[in-house]
Amino acid sequence: MRTREPVERTSRPRAVVLPFPGLDTEERAAVARLIPSGRVLLLAFAALAACLLAVVLVRQTSVFAVQRVEVTGAPPGVVREVERALAGVRGRNLLQLDTVELRDAVERIPTVRAASFDRAFPHVLSVALVAERPVAVIRQGRSSWLVSDRGRVMSEVRRDRRPGLPRIWAPRTLRLEPGVLAERELMIAVAAVAPLAAARFPARVAAVAFTDDELTLRLRSGLLVQLGEPADVRLKLAVAGRVLPLLDDDAAYLDVSVPERPVSGETLDSQVEGET
């Protein structure tokens, strides 16, 4: 009977630790030169502390106190409103002013669309404005409201003010006050007259009506311009602007609801409420 020879097991290799070569004298000296000394570190921390202390002192003193507020980019009336709103910043440190908070406060003014701030050291706070652009007057009973091109109510005005702007009639149930954005139907009517100045419309618009999902402009001459659905308004206004000079004096309406096929006639087929 043959005996099985024992199988010799191979042992696992042992980990070998290799000695790390030491640095010679010159290399140690080079490394030592790269490490700042205790004195250098102390001076650096002292300089940093002095800078922080200077910043704190400057923020707490009147060195950079606001002495003047310069407001630009808007009509004089709007500038005066902003200056009144910012009257409280005079005497305050420029570095302590929260310009985001100030911007929000100024943009809440109904006549201001946007504002940006700049610290003009040592004593001036500069404010650049973008004013709201009035495009129509909203009539609501005995009240009249000036509205901007983005449908924001700017202020209440007298009935006879701004005669060059078209009138838009609003129901009495609609809440109107400075700063409020117009609701859907009113906003559609505002959007219809907003591009008139840029389009160089050849006639002045007296009133705007939006009923049964159709827009109608009444010109000061009495002629009605029917825009139809509130879509492609700029295109329709451009077409109307081209056609109006070609119409006879007895024309009663111009229908550009289909801008590719403008239609004019002598019989009124719609009415727009006029100024009484």
Side-chain angles (χ1 to χ4, degrees):
M1 182 175 180
R2 296 180 62 184
T3 60
R4 178 179 293 181
E5 297 180 0
V7 179
E8 183 178 356
R9 296 182 178 179
T10 58
S11 58
R12 295 180 179 178
R14 297 180 179 179
V16 178
V17 179
L18 298 178
F20 188 79
L23 300 176
D24 57 23
T25 304
E26 293 183 358
E27 291 174 334
R28 289 183 179 180
V31 172
R33 284 194 296 271
L34 297 176
I35 300 175
S37 63
R39 183 179 179 182
V40 172
L41 289 175
L42 182 60
L43 291 175
F45 283 118
L48 178 61
C51 291
L52 293 176
L53 180 60
V55 171
V56 172
L57 291 176
V58 168
R59 289 176 61 90
Q60 298 299 326
T61 63
S62 59
V63 175
F64 294 129
V66 177
Q67 296 180 2
R68 190 170 74 256
V69 178
E70 293 184 350
V71 184
T72 58
V78 180
V79 170
R80 287 192 293 269
E81 286 187 83
V82 174
E83 288 176 343
R84 286 194 294 269
L86 297 176
V89 304
R90 295 182 185 275
R92 292 175 56 185
N93 195 299
L94 278 172
L95 296 174
Q96 290 183 328
L97 295 178
D98 186 344
T99 55
V100 175
E101 181 180 345
L102 292 177
R103 183 197 64 198
D104 293 341
V106 169
E107 290 181 355
R108 283 195 292 270
I109 298 174
T111 53
V112 176
R113 186 175 192 137
S116 59
F117 288 78
D118 183 34
R119 297 178 178 91
F121 291 97
H123 302 299
V124 179
L125 178 65
S126 298
V127 187
L129 300 178
V130 177
E132 295 281 8
R133 183 171 67 93
V135 295
V137 173
I138 298 176
R139 290 290 311 279
Q140 187 183 50
R142 295 183 177 180
S143 301
S144 298
W145 305 89
L146 193 64
V147 63
S148 73
D149 57 339
R150 66 187 183 117
R152 189 182 190 190
V153 178
M154 299 172 59
S155 63
E156 188 172 6
V157 294
R158 283 187 354 206
R159 181 175 175 177
D160 56 348
R161 295 296 301 272
R162 301 280 184 152
L165 295 180
R167 266 48 180 170
I168 302 172
W169 274 260
R172 297 177 183 273
T173 56
L174 193 64
R175 184 177 71 91
L176 294 176
E177 60 184 35
V180 170
L181 291 175
E183 296 184 8
R184 179 184 176 274
E185 292 190 359
L186 200 56
M187 184 64 238
I188 290 174
V190 171
V193 297
L196 287 176
R200 296 182 180 179
F201 204 64
R204 298 182 68 175
V205 177
V208 185
F210 180 62
T211 56
D212 299 327
D213 293 332
E214 290 194 353
L215 272 168
T216 303
L217 310 182
R218 182 175 65 82
L219 306 185
R220 291 194 176 275
S221 63
L223 185 140
L224 299 182
V225 179
Q226 298 171 340
L227 303 179
E229 295 181 355
D232 300 323
V233 173
R234 290 181 181 272
L235 173 60
K236 294 173 181 177
L237 289 175
V239 172
R242 292 287 188 89
V243 175
L244 282 174
L246 306 177
L247 297 181
D248 296 331
D249 294 338
D250 55 358
Y253 75 92
L254 171 63
D255 189 336
V256 290
S257 56
V258 180
E260 296 83 3
R261 295 192 300 274
V263 177
S264 177
E266 300 178 5
T267 303
L268 294 176
D269 57 0
S270 60
Q271 297 290 332
V272 179
E273 182 180 0
E275 188 88 22
T276 59

